[in-house]
Amino acid sequence: LYQSIANPDIRYRGNVVDREDGSYFMTYSIPLAGSYLVSITLGGESLQYCVGPSGERWDSRQYDGVNVYSSPSFCSLDDDLILNVIHRELHGISSTLVNEDGLSGLSDAIVGVETGFAIESRDKFGNLRSGSSTSNIVQSGDGMSDAFLVSLVGPSGHKSFTSTAVNILTCSD
């Protein structure tokens, strides 16, 4: 069970597959970025959390059919496991326009009066692209470097285009 720390009413469950060899495999998908408390139970009893085996750790987890299995040192019964979920790559359709700095934005523009808006970069789940990272993912975009093409069409078909992309050109002459 994955329970949001910010809002305990938000919970997600994983899908568990019995490998029929004494081990289980679990997958999960959490669409909302944030921190989650992780509870791993089987029949109501807490289970140890073990990092996925690789290299030498793979052989140390095998049961030989005779000796009682003893948990490796990298397993834990810690009830305070925290999973940090961060945003995904840019999804333009999910990004949003917002009014900024007291400007009226697109909802209230007046001829001859300067206005503006900001674009909030979001992933396909609606999470803000804030530059978050984890110990396994250095960074997944910061939103500030996401480029957008903005096109406005006014009365009589007048068109205006601009881009948030910044190109720095240098000339050696």
Side-chain angles (χ1 to χ4, degrees), residues 10-75:
I10 297 175
R11 298 175 180 198
Y12 299 98
R13 293 190 179 278
N15 298 310
V16 179
V17 175
D18 184 347
R19 292 181 170 173
E20 299 183 8
D21 65 356
S23 67
Y24 296 85
F25 180 76
M26 187 179 77
T27 60
Y28 59 91
S29 178
I30 299 177
L32 290 175
S35 296
Y36 293 83
L37 289 174
V38 180
S39 299
I40 303 172
T41 61
L42 179 64
E45 290 188 39
S46 292
L47 298 179
Q48 288 189 341
Y49 172 75
C50 298
V51 177
S54 61
E56 292 177 16
R57 292 191 286 182
W58 180 256
D59 292 330
S60 70
R61 295 186 69 186
Q62 298 300 317
Y63 176 59
D64 64 11
V66 176
N67 298 310
V68 175
Y69 175 80
S70 62
S71 300
S73 61
F74 54 85
C75 293

Side-chain angles (χ1 to χ4, degrees), residues 1-171:
L1 177 69
Y2 301 88
Q3 181 177 15
S4 171
I5 292 174
N7 182 351
D9 292 334
I10 297 175
R11 298 175 180 198
Y12 299 98
R13 293 190 179 278
N15 298 310
V16 179
V17 175
D18 184 347
R19 292 181 170 173
E20 299 183 8
D21 65 356
S23 67
Y24 296 85
F25 180 76
M26 187 179 77
T27 60
Y28 59 91
S29 178
I30 299 177
L32 290 175
S35 296
Y36 293 83
L37 289 174
V38 180
S39 299
I40 303 172
T41 61
L42 179 64
E45 290 188 39
S46 292
L47 298 179
Q48 288 189 341
Y49 172 75
C50 298
V51 177
S54 61
E56 292 177 16
R57 292 191 286 182
W58 180 256
D59 292 330
S60 70
R61 295 186 69 186
Q62 298 300 317
Y63 176 59
D64 64 11
V66 176
N67 298 310
V68 175
Y69 175 80
S70 62
S71 300
S73 61
F74 54 85
C75 293
S76 170
L77 255 176
D78 189 0
D79 288 339
D80 294 329
L81 290 173
I82 295 177
L83 173 67
N84 292 311
V85 177
I86 64 171
H87 58 79
R88 299 265 324 225
E89 56 275 344
L90 174 66
H91 189 250
I93 294 171
S94 298
S95 297
T96 53
L97 295 175
V98 294
N99 295 345
E100 186 176 73
D101 299 331
L103 300 172
S104 59
L106 293 177
S107 63
D108 229 8
I110 300 171
V111 173
V113 177
E114 185 176 326
T115 190
F117 57 88
I119 301 173
E120 292 181 333
S121 297
R122 297 183 180 271
D123 66 11
K124 68 181 178 179
F125 299 104
N127 297 303
L128 280 174
R129 291 177 39 79
S130 60
S132 299
S133 61
T134 69
S135 57
N136 295 318
I137 301 171
V138 177
Q139 190 179 39
S140 180
D142 62 3
M144 299 295 290
S145 60
D146 295 333
F148 292 91
L149 174 66
V150 178
S151 62
L152 302 172
V153 180
S156 305
H158 175 75
K159 295 179 182 178
S160 178
F161 298 95
T162 188
S163 173
T164 61
V166 175
N167 291 314
I168 299 174
L169 304 174
T170 58
C171 180

